[in-house]
Amino acid sequence: MKDDTSEGRFRTASGIEVDAVYEATAGKAEEFERPGQFPFTRGIHPNMYRGRPWTMRQYAGFGTAEETNQRYHYLLTQGTTGLSVAFDLPTQMGYDSDHPIAQGEVGRVGVAIDSIDDMRTLFHGIALDEVSTSMTINSTAAILFALYLSVGEEQGVGREALAGTVQNDVLKEYVARGTYIYPVDPSLRLAADLVAFCAREVPRWNPISISGYHIREAGSTAPQEVAFTLANGLAYVERVLAAGVPLEDFAPRLSFFFAAYNDLLEEVAKFRAARRLWARLMKERFGASDRSCQLRFHTQTGGSTLTAQQPLNNMVRVTVQALAAALGGTQSLHTNGFDEALALPTEGAAKLAVRTQQILAHESGITNTVDPLAGSYYVEALTSKIEDAASTYLEEIEGLGGAPKAIEFMQGEIHASAYRHQMEIEANKRLVVGVNAFEEEEEPPSIEKPDFSALEVAQKLRLDEVKAGRDAGNTSQALEGVRSAARSTENLVPPIIEAAKASATLGEISQVLREEWGAHDP
């Protein structure tokens, strides 16, 4: 982006000033640093994609569990190697589909999951020991995990065989997204309980995915995305350590989730800087082993970068963003459908999104060597600049008492960045093709939308059947087990699993915790 206020000055999308030419001394990279070695700037594996490509996920959730199950089966036939679940807002906020607050929102931005019956349907015909599943869920993460684990056990899949990730990152909800339920401290306890439980019982599961994606989608810069995400990560490490779990029992299963935006080389540098900075923080603060210093991350292409105007242009944006993620060394990737600025992605758009990843992996040649942009004077310099800027933010957050105490500070920085970004677009200092540059008169595309009213009615009827068919006494007893655990210091996940198996609903379990802990009031 050119800075029109000063002749000849250029900046990255995040506002980092860019020189015309870079020399060999511009970055910090050491000549002897190798991929797979601390501090992992060049990747966490020595061979990276020469061994196998990144996991190709597609994020999907459509109204009912039946519809979403159909899409999962379709995606698996198209070469997707991992499933990713989008939940509707009531599910994210801890309300059943029949709650008055859920009215009008059931199934609209993802799948509605009220009980173990819905989870069974969601994965009908899919062997849970043959896929890895990512669930984008936070405040109700422990409940959805309990439902998933219970369905796995019904299939005969042991806990040791389940593989996947649950987001479980409540701090970023307070900072950037808003689907929180409880006050900060008990929310952190619940998140830490899930990490501790998985460290003991579910060794292949990633019990938390510390998310910069939503921080970036809220309007942050790339350095802010790195800094605020890692600050949250440090807070979780400290919380789990305080619960008595040894660092090496859980740190290797921590995972991260970043966005990929349009400034190709800035994004590549961002991923490299995040890896290096996290490795150094873990080593210096906690004395972590090299394995526990590895920053493993999933990437999703930037949803807010997609435009409703000239939506076919989004195919190019998604490709550039996916390329940045791969060149930056991601472990798994979701590519958005080009029509997502208009509605839920159509089947054709979802297939093209998968094909985009497959072409990059199998035709572009970028998987032939590890960290192919290493040694670029510009990329190395930008990696160091992003690391330095993120480190400065981390020092400020530390001075405020850590991430849980710095929520308002992070919110303010994101809001200021988002405002600057929008003002630059409106002043035509930042060009968005099809929006404020190269516009065309065009007919709005016709998008067929589901009948959400009928969907909501059907989901409520299904929920009524679940409640009518369960053993009410058994369910009530299981819910009291959750209540008792909430009042003590015992790990909450086992009683939540028992409640899930007793057909207690997500809303009922959430309500017990609301009654014990209260709700967060911003």
Side-chain angles (χ1 to χ4, degrees), residues 144-360:
L144 272 300
F145 172 80
L147 294 170
Y148 186 86
L149 181 145
S150 300
V151 169
E153 290 183 352
E154 289 179 353
Q155 289 187 3
V157 178
R159 295 177 179 183
E160 72 287 347
L162 285 178
T165 303
V166 67
Q167 197 163 98
N168 192 31
D169 176 8
V170 291
L171 279 174
K172 69 95 173 47
E173 296 298 324
Y174 302 104
V175 172
R177 191 162 175 267
T179 60
Y180 43 71
I181 301 175
Y182 319 111
V184 175
D185 190 67
S187 290
L188 285 172
R189 175 203 165 174
L190 187 55
D193 279 357
L194 183 52
V195 174
F197 176 84
C198 290
R200 293 193 306 267
E201 302 279 344
V202 198
R204 297 180 61 205
W205 193 267
N206 302 318
I208 193 165
S209 178
I210 305 148
S211 175
Y213 180 85
H214 303 94
I215 289 169
R216 192 65 179 278
E217 288 283 88
S220 81
T221 64
Q224 288 170 349
E225 180 187 3
V226 172
F228 300 165
T229 305
L230 300 194
N232 290 344
L234 293 173
Y236 291 122
V237 171
E238 291 167 355
R239 188 78 185 210
V240 179
L241 286 173
V245 184
L247 181 72
E248 299 302 326
D249 286 359
F250 71 90
R253 300 309 301 183
L254 298 176
S255 64
F256 290 80
F257 174 26
F258 290 112
Y261 272 38
N262 291 328
D263 191 326
L264 177 71
L265 298 179
E266 180 178 60
E267 293 299 291
V268 173
K270 178 190 76 179
F271 298 131
R272 300 173 89 248
R275 260 196 308 271
R276 186 161 74 197
L277 184 53
W278 179 252
R280 290 174 174 169
L281 288 166
M282 289 294 285
K283 184 74 73 176
E284 293 166 6
R285 295 197 182 194
F286 306 109
S289 68
D290 282 3
R291 182 164 173 259
S292 292
C293 289
Q294 294 178 347
L295 185 147
R296 300 173 300 112
F297 67 98
H298 169 72
T299 309
Q300 180 173 336
T301 56
S304 67
T305 69
L306 304 181
T307 64
Q309 302 92 328
Q310 301 179 30
L312 293 180
N313 293 341
N314 295 328
M315 298 180 187
V316 182
R317 293 186 177 101
V318 169
T319 303
V320 170
Q321 294 163 7
L323 179 61
L327 291 172
T330 193
Q331 275 61 69
S332 67
L333 177 62
H334 163 84
T335 34
N336 292 328
F338 71 86
D339 54 2
E340 287 189 43
L342 303 167
L344 291 170
T346 58
E347 188 172 282
K351 178 164 73 173
L352 180 62
V354 175
R355 295 287 182 260
T356 300
Q357 295 199 48
Q358 292 166 335
I359 290 169
L360 287 175

